[in-house]
Amino acid sequence: MAAKKSVLTVLTGVGLLAATACTGSSNVDGEAPTAHRLTTTTPPGSSALDRVTWALPYGEPNTLDPAKIGDYSPQTVESNLCDTLTRMNADFSLTPGLARKVTWTDDRTLVLDLRSDVRFWDGTPMTPQDVIHSLERQRDPRTQGLYGAYLAAVTSIKATGPHQVTLRTKGYDQTLTKALSTSFGAVSKKAYAEKAGPAYGTAKGGLMCTGPFELGSWKSGGSITLERNDAYWDTQLRPKAKQVEFRFITNNNTLTSALLSGEVDGTYELPPSSATALGRTDNGTVHLGPSTQNVLLIPGHADSPAADRRLLDALSLVIDRDALIKNVFGGDAATLKSLVPPHTWRGDKAAAQFDAAYAKLPDAPKPDPEKAKKLVAQAGPVQRPLVAAIPAGDQRGLQALTFIQAAAEEIGVAIEIKQLQPAEMSSLFYDPSVRKGLDLVLTFGYVGMPDPASYVAEMVNPRGIFNWTNYDNPEVTRLLDRARTSSDPVASATAYGEAQALFTPTVPAVFLATTHERMFMNKRLSGAPASFAYMGMPWAAHLGGTGK
């Protein structure tokens, strides 16, 4: 590759989720027709706000430590607190953040040129040592972080100037640079994090970051309140809202009532049942945005009968996806042919190659109970009900799993639904002990950055954090590694496409749908992004009043 290639010069053009209108026909992604317009953001709000109240329908976060968050609630909050080295925008493009420039000077040297005007909430300046510590703690076993694998190719991280950090690597790694826009690239104050230890990111330990809001109060079981950072370094994004209060509301009916009454101003991940009622109100608007979310049914562990791909294929063949999308998701979703939704690569330079490979995959199957029964017979009778997990209070998840439960009965497979408390549901993704006794998990997952290969690797590589069934295909692993390490976008996309053709029919998972982002916002507010990119950007800093 050419020397001194500025990564942000390349990635700023990666408008992954460009604002599009889906009218009456399918688009290149193969999405279902919808009468709704998908937008990336809402018009800017102009006036100051004393207080904004926002709901977290997935419940209270376990932690706000950037190294440990990997779920809807914590990321919705933390993205407004801890700035990242590069910044994700509403269209999923990447622009400078705490690093004003990110450059591969050669295939083994990544240089981060840091801003010199950034201060933490306590007024102390951000230094290279803070950046180094924030990255290194990701792979420190004592941190129990989720993103240490992004540093797999990194051999050293050192300060090479008063405002510069250099990463030496075993080779070029396109995932590493994209990951800097996620919570992996968030910077915490070294001295504060070291003093807090394991309590960092909790209600007791607190946080010390550089974002547009700082952590105010955290009332366990009730709410988290953020306070505006009046000295925020990014003068173009200083918040208009003085306070943002997050309330933990996991009951759909309670959430709907709170939004209708104006007690709560807004929410992301609005349930379809709530959208129906709120679509008729005049105190706010339901916004639909493009998303990289996927709905999957996956085995909880390798010893479960559900880990048998024949049984999963049988379940796949008996589920009417069109009916599921219409009745459970209100039509605001599309069928999914593999692990990663096509929107993930929409702005990639090699999007045509990604699209071509995805188009070659078999279409999502139509219901075929007779063929499904034959597969069940081949797999052998299931002697007991399969225990399937969803979050307690999640009406959408309950409806979807009840739909699947009824379909499974047609082929003699019994499914027992187990509703887990939000904290337990969040933990099961990273703690094998929580998945003990669970045969299936209905997941509403997502791809957090424009890099399908790294997401898939976590599910199919032997040491992948989401590889719960010990799936191992050496050729898939080799191809995903090539996709990760190739500096040529076309070569990277081609390798991913070859891997996709191999893992799609063999990985233990039922691909159900990819959903649109659904957000509600009271008419007194505007400015919030409508796309799923909100998960990785300081979205609340964009809020302003409308005077209504």
Side-chain angles (χ1 to χ4, degrees):
M1 65 178 288
K4 295 188 177 180
K5 180 180 288 186
S6 174
V7 173
L8 285 179
T9 300
V10 177
L11 294 183
T12 299
V14 183
L16 176 60
L17 301 181
T20 57
C22 293
T23 52
S25 61
S26 298
N27 61 20
V28 69
D29 293 345
E31 290 194 353
T34 172
H36 300 288
R37 182 177 177 85
L38 301 186
T39 56
T40 59
T41 192
T42 57
S46 57
S47 59
L49 297 162
D50 285 335
R51 188 179 186 86
V52 172
T53 305
W54 208 262
L56 295 178
Y58 281 94
E60 183 172 6
N62 285 341
T63 180
L64 295 176
D65 181 346
K68 299 179 181 179
I69 63 170
D71 202 356
Y72 288 92
S73 288
Q75 288 196 236
T76 303
V77 178
E78 185 271 346
S79 60
N80 297 290
L81 296 169
C82 299
D83 281 326
T84 50
L85 289 160
T86 61
R87 176 175 286 169
M88 190 173 294
N89 303 305
D91 63 356
F92 267 58
S93 63
L94 304 181
T95 50
L98 297 177
R100 60 180 178 82
K101 187 168 67 172
V102 177
T103 309
W104 284 100
T105 57
D106 59 52
D107 280 357
R108 295 189 177 185
T109 309
L110 181 65
V111 177
L112 312 180
D113 287 305
L114 308 176
R115 295 184 63 95
S116 60
D117 56 351
V118 177
R119 293 183 178 272
F120 291 103
W121 302 325
D122 64 1
T124 57
M126 181 189 75
T127 68
Q129 286 68 37
D130 297 308
V131 174
I132 294 167
H133 179 262
S134 297
L135 292 173
E136 288 285 14
R137 71 185 293 266
Q138 304 267 357
R139 57 181 172 187
D140 185 339
R142 294 172 298 180
T143 304
Q144 296 182 323
L146 304 179
Y147 305 110
Y150 290 148
L151 294 171
V154 175
T155 57
S156 69
I157 308 175
K158 295 180 179 179
T160 48
H163 304 291
Q164 189 181 81
V165 171
T166 298
L167 287 73
R168 293 286 295 172
T169 68
K170 298 174 184 176
Y172 181 82
D173 183 357
Q174 55 110 11
T175 295
L176 178 60
T177 51
K178 294 175 182 177
L180 295 175
S181 67
T182 71
S183 57
F184 164 79
V187 177
S188 299
K189 183 176 178 179
K190 177 183 177 181
Y192 189 102
E194 288 180 332
K195 183 177 180 180
Y200 187 68
T202 66
K204 179 182 178 182
L207 283 170
M208 185 54 63
C209 291
T210 67
F213 292 92
E214 56 185 288
L215 183 60
S217 64
W218 185 339
K219 300 175 183 176
S220 184
S223 64
I224 292 174
T225 300
L226 310 188
E227 305 286 346
R228 181 172 61 204
N229 175 11
D230 289 321
Y232 187 46
W233 62 270
D234 188 347
T235 57
Q236 301 301 310
L237 198 59
R238 284 184 177 167
K240 295 182 176 70
K242 188 175 181 180
Q243 279 189 340
V244 179
E245 179 189 13
F246 292 95
R247 296 186 186 175
F248 320 136
I249 307 177
T250 57
N251 181 279
N252 289 2
N253 293 331
T254 303
L255 176 61
T256 303
S257 298
L259 292 169
L260 284 170
S261 69
E263 177 187 349
V264 171
D265 291 309
T267 188
Y268 287 106
E269 310 314 320
L270 181 72
S273 59
S274 300
T276 301
L278 290 160
R280 296 190 293 264
T281 188
D282 60 359
N283 77 329
T285 304
V286 176
H287 301 271
L288 286 179
S291 174
T292 58
Q293 292 166 284
N294 55 8
V295 185
L296 308 172
L297 188 66
I298 54 180
H301 53 87
D303 296 329
S304 168
D308 190 320
R309 180 68 204 225
R310 292 171 297 182
L311 183 57
L312 289 174
D313 283 342
L315 291 173
S316 181
L317 281 167
V318 81
I319 296 170
D320 187 336
R321 288 165 175 76
D322 292 336
L324 179 72
I325 288 170
K326 178 181 178 181
N327 297 320
V328 175
F329 302 116
D332 296 327
T335 54
L336 183 65
K337 299 200 294 184
S338 188
L339 287 172
V340 177
H343 265 312
T344 304
W345 55 74
R346 183 54 44 236
D348 196 283
K349 286 189 173 184
Q353 282 74 24
F354 280 113
D355 282 336
Y358 190 80
K360 289 179 181 178
L361 296 175
D363 290 334
K366 298 296 182 182
D368 189 341
E370 294 308 312
K371 186 176 180 180
K373 288 176 182 176
K374 292 177 182 177
L375 286 170
V376 172
Q378 292 174 17
V382 182
Q383 302 296 335
R384 58 174 178 78
L386 299 176
V387 180
I390 54 167
D394 178 10
Q395 186 179 3
R396 178 181 63 168
L398 181 59
Q399 288 176 336
L401 201 47
T402 301
F403 186 96
I404 295 167
Q405 182 187 52
E409 287 180 0
E410 294 184 44
I411 55 175
V413 176
I415 293 179
E416 175 187 320
I417 299 175
K418 184 172 183 178
Q419 299 188 52
L420 303 180
Q421 291 305 308
E424 190 177 12
M425 187 72 189
S426 181
S427 296
L428 75 78
F429 289 93
Y430 310 102
D431 186 348
S433 67
V434 180
R435 296 194 299 273
K436 252 184 158 181
L438 298 177
D439 296 294
L440 293 166
V441 180
L442 180 66
T443 72
F444 292 82
Y446 53 87
V447 185
M449 61 179 174
D451 184 26
S454 64
Y455 176 86
V456 169
E458 294 292 3
M459 300 190 72
V460 305
N461 283 359
R463 291 182 298 278
I465 195 169
F466 301 127
N467 185 353
W468 301 341
T469 57
N470 303 322
Y471 179 89
D472 187 5
N473 183 321
E475 181 64 6
V476 168
T477 302
R478 185 186 69 81
L479 288 166
L480 290 176
D481 183 65
R482 182 192 296 174
R484 177 172 179 163
T485 58
S486 175
S487 59
D488 176 4
V490 172
S492 177
T494 300
Y496 175 78
E498 292 175 7
Q500 179 182 244
L502 294 175
F503 69 71
T504 296
T506 57
V507 67
V510 178
F511 319 123
L512 295 172
T514 175
T515 59
H516 304 321
E517 177 53 43
R518 189 186 286 109
M519 181 264 285
F520 177 83
M521 186 167 52
N522 191 284
K523 65 181 181 181
R524 79 183 189 93
L525 309 176
S526 194
S531 76
F532 190 68
Y534 82 89
M535 290 278 279
M537 62 181 288
W539 60 268
H542 292 266
L543 290 173
T546 62
K548 296 181 181 179

